[in-house]
Amino acid sequence: MAPFSVRAIVLEQTERTRQSSKADIERFIVESELKVISLESQITSEPQSTALVELRDRERSTIAALRYLIAPIYSIPIELLVEIFELAIREDSEEVLLYIKDTFLISHVCSDWRRVAHCTPRLWTGHIHVNPGCRDSEQVYAHGLKAWLARSAPLPVSISLSGTGTSRLSPRILEEVLEISPRWRSLRLQSQSPSSLARRIAACNLDSLEELDLGTIYETPSDLDSGSILVFSPAARFRKVSMAIDSDSPHVSMPWAQLTHLALHYRSSIIHDILGQCPNLVSVSIRTPGSPLLPEARRDTPFALNHLQTLSLVFSESAEPFMPFLDCLSAPALQKLCLDFGQVPTEVESEWTEARFTTFQLRSPNINQLELTHSYLTSEDLWAALRHAPRITHLKLVGCDLCFDDTLIDALHYKDGIEPLVPRLHNLVLEKMGKSIFAPDNFVDMIVSRWWTDAQLASYSTPPPVARWTSVKLGETFNLNRPSNERFVRSIEDLRRNGLDIQT
């Protein structure tokens, strides 16, 4: 090992060349190279001289330090270097460890890069996952977390907490996260969490909080003495909330009126009460396991969500709340409607009525995207729904075997002079429709009837009165290996060659 510090030499040469030009430093390098040649000649004559070897190695280190000082990467502005760092850091939401690894790697290349990285907070603000239930190397984990969070100050950060449902949470790790609550941009609890933790979060300073995902909140015996109301402090930037709370959990109070995005998973009738306090919602996702969504006394109490653009409803055990919910909802700006019938039993199929759904559609005339999942609707039901939604541009059916057949395909088929169903439709997705009964040839004829190449469209004096497909995805709809589907396969290939984005 050399008896000198390479870092010390770099600092020494940095100070030496502080007022020097690039040409001066290049001259210093030549001088040092000549010294190395001279020393190597002397070492040849005196091979046992340790002092000469050390002098030569030190001079070589000096040359390396000088070359480093005039390297292009060293001379570029710090602002540009930071931009390069940001481009080198992978921010894949599914691979959080890559982001952490890349950030640490950049900060360990050299002392200068480390200084720049540590003084650039935005390099340390990527989404991180924290495990407050970590029991291995708890002190080391907490120390590293503290250092990471300190480097991101004063900027907002996004944090996910995992393992919060374990019986033992590390007070030190949890405190490191809670201490920077004024800088939370988003906070997500990734598992079931006791209401005691939710109460600690609710009591924090949430000045920067925009998104909150509480996961599933549950009461423990020790939580029962804390009261039945979970009150969140005011947060001016609060806009997005997601939470799952059962009927035994505490009532939640938060600034509902300022929310724009809300996702609820409730086994409770208070969803109606919550939505009534959220007039500014743009997106709503509701999942209910089957208890009545609206008490009988409230089903005639309408509520308006005048800014709502996306509505997603999932009923996994009973469709009973389905139509009553839509009956009392007014959403004139609604554009995207997603209905997931989940594991709805067949005995509740009669809950769907065309008249009631049509009434809802008349109050929501701007729907242009419709998604149905595991629906028991027939093709007649879907035809009626589409007939009252002429603005539809995107249609997605997943596992809806009964609602897509030759009758509906014929209604979608464009024939000259006859406007088909949903003339603006240009994006079609059919997934898990293997039990649907219709003729592949009939389907492909319908697709062809609504497709034109660029050259064909340019040759028309007036464009066709229907939209041209932009994307068709068929999923597992067809068994393309069947001999009877040969014409269909050839037609699909022809459409692809002509420019249609069609996936099978």
Side-chain angles (χ1 to χ4, degrees):
M1 178 180 292
F4 52 84
S5 165
V6 174
R7 173 174 169 76
I9 291 178
V10 172
L11 295 175
E12 174 189 284
Q13 296 305 313
T14 300
E15 185 63 29
R16 173 193 175 190
T17 60
R18 190 172 299 281
Q19 304 298 325
S20 302
S21 66
K22 181 179 179 182
D24 292 334
I25 297 176
E26 289 175 339
R27 179 167 51 81
F28 296 155
I29 291 175
V30 172
E31 292 173 356
S32 291
E33 288 176 338
L34 293 175
K35 289 181 182 179
V36 169
I37 293 174
S38 175
L39 288 168
E40 287 183 336
S41 176
Q42 295 178 55
I43 291 172
T44 302
S45 302
E46 303 179 39
Q48 303 302 320
S49 176
T50 304
L52 289 175
V53 172
E54 291 178 356
L55 285 173
R56 180 201 61 188
D57 292 345
R58 181 182 178 86
E59 206 63 42
R60 284 176 172 173
S61 297
T62 298
I63 293 171
L66 291 170
R67 285 176 174 165
Y68 164 72
L69 293 177
I70 60 173
I73 192 67
Y74 184 78
S75 60
I76 65 175
I78 289 179
E79 294 80 7
L80 181 56
L81 184 62
V82 170
E83 294 291 336
I84 294 173
F85 288 171
E86 288 185 308
L87 292 173
I89 295 174
R90 291 165 289 184
E91 293 195 47
D92 188 334
S93 60
E94 300 298 325
E95 294 289 346
V96 177
L97 290 179
L98 292 180
Y99 156 71
I100 295 176
K101 179 180 178 181
D102 290 347
T103 306
F104 271 126
L105 186 62
I106 285 173
S107 67
H108 283 70
V109 170
C110 64
S111 60
D112 290 308
W113 283 23
R114 179 163 54 254
R115 183 176 64 256
V116 172
H118 286 186
C119 294
T120 308
R122 68 176 186 265
L123 296 180
W124 308 86
T125 57
H127 196 142
I128 63 170
H129 289 241
V130 177
N131 182 6
C134 176
R135 301 182 183 183
D136 298 329
S137 305
E138 179 180 330
Q139 298 303 316
V140 174
Y141 189 104
H143 178 75
L145 176 63
K146 183 180 183 67
W148 181 282
L149 294 175
R151 290 168 192 162
S152 66
L155 300 180
V157 294
S158 298
I159 297 178
S160 291
L161 295 180
S162 60
T164 53
T166 59
S167 58
R168 176 184 175 273
L169 298 179
S170 165
R172 181 174 176 184
I173 295 175
L174 191 57
E175 285 303 323
E176 295 295 346
V177 176
L178 296 176
E179 185 176 337
I180 65 155
S181 63
R183 292 200 293 119
W184 291 342
R185 176 194 292 112
S186 71
L187 181 68
R188 179 184 179 190
L189 307 187
Q190 292 187 298
S191 59
Q192 292 188 343
S193 304
S195 62
S196 56
L197 176 58
R199 284 190 171 87
R200 294 192 66 182
I201 293 171
C204 287
N205 181 333
L206 305 176
D207 285 349
S208 300
L209 190 65
E210 299 174 13
E211 303 180 30
L212 175 64
D213 185 345
L214 290 173
T216 301
I217 303 299
Y218 67 90
E219 294 274 26
T220 65
S222 59
D223 295 330
L224 297 178
D225 297 331
S226 302
S228 59
I229 300 180
L230 182 60
V231 181
F232 280 81
S233 303
R237 300 183 182 181
F238 214 177
R239 294 296 182 270
K240 300 181 180 181
V241 170
S242 176
M243 57 183 173
I245 302 181
D246 60 33
S247 57
D248 296 326
S249 298
H251 176 69
V252 178
S253 174
M254 62 173 58
W256 300 110
Q258 67 189 58
L259 298 185
T260 58
H261 296 72
L262 180 63
L264 297 174
H265 187 174
Y266 263 64
R267 184 185 290 274
S268 172
S269 61
I270 66 172
I271 291 179
H272 180 264
D273 294 334
I274 290 176
L275 293 179
Q277 302 175 64
C278 304
N280 295 307
L281 288 176
V282 173
S283 174
V284 172
S285 176
I286 295 176
R287 177 183 294 270
T288 178
S291 59
L293 185 61
L294 301 180
E296 195 68 35
R298 298 180 184 173
R299 292 187 179 181
D300 295 328
T301 306
F303 58 94
L305 298 179
N306 294 325
H307 304 285
L308 188 65
Q309 297 179 15
T310 301
L311 174 62
S312 176
L313 302 176
V314 181
F315 297 97
S316 56
E317 294 176 11
S318 169
E320 195 280 330
F322 186 84
M323 293 309 302
F325 178 84
L326 297 181
D327 286 343
C328 66
L329 172 64
S330 174
L334 186 64
Q335 297 181 18
K336 184 175 182 179
L337 177 63
C338 305
L339 303 177
D340 187 339
F341 293 71
Q343 305 299 319
V344 175
T346 56
E347 59 266 20
V348 299
E349 293 183 8
S350 60
E351 288 296 326
W352 176 278
T353 60
E354 176 186 336
R356 295 170 73 181
F357 189 71
T358 298
T359 301
F360 165 73
Q361 288 181 286
L362 294 177
R363 293 196 302 271
S364 308
N366 295 303
I367 296 176
N368 55 38
Q369 298 185 54
L370 178 63
E371 294 185 8
L372 300 180
T373 301
H374 301 302
S375 167
Y376 53 73
L377 303 185
T378 66
S379 62
E380 289 79 10
D381 293 328
L382 181 55
W383 183 89
L386 295 178
R387 184 167 61 88
H388 291 94
R391 296 176 181 267
I392 289 289
T393 59
H394 292 65
L395 176 62
K396 181 176 181 179
L397 305 177
V398 180
C400 303
D401 297 324
L402 300 179
C403 67
F404 199 80
D405 60 12
D406 286 320
T407 301
L408 186 66
I409 291 172
D410 288 340
L412 295 172
H413 198 293
Y414 170 62
K415 302 178 180 64
D416 290 341
I418 302 176
E419 185 176 278
L421 196 63
V422 284
R424 300 186 186 183
L425 181 67
H426 61 78
N427 188 296
L428 177 65
V429 178
L430 303 176
E431 295 181 354
K432 300 180 181 179
M433 305 279 285
K435 296 181 181 180
S436 298
I437 301 176
F438 56 87
D441 289 351
N442 191 29
F443 176 83
V444 79
D445 287 342
M446 182 273 291
I447 297 296
V448 170
S449 76
R450 302 176 70 145
W451 170 253
W452 301 268
T453 64
D454 291 341
Q456 288 173 327
L457 285 178
S459 67
Y460 294 154
S461 57
T462 58
V466 295
R468 178 177 70 165
W469 296 115
T470 58
S471 177
V472 176
K473 182 179 180 181
L474 304 181
E476 301 173 0
T477 306
F478 298 94
N479 182 352
L480 301 182
N481 295 320
R482 290 179 181 173
S484 60
N485 286 343
E486 290 182 4
R487 176 180 177 273
F488 172 79
V489 174
R490 289 196 302 269
S491 299
I492 293 297
E493 293 303 322
D494 288 341
L495 289 167
R496 285 175 176 155
R497 282 192 292 270
N498 287 326
L500 174 59
D501 175 20
I502 184 167
Q503 304 173 43
T504 56

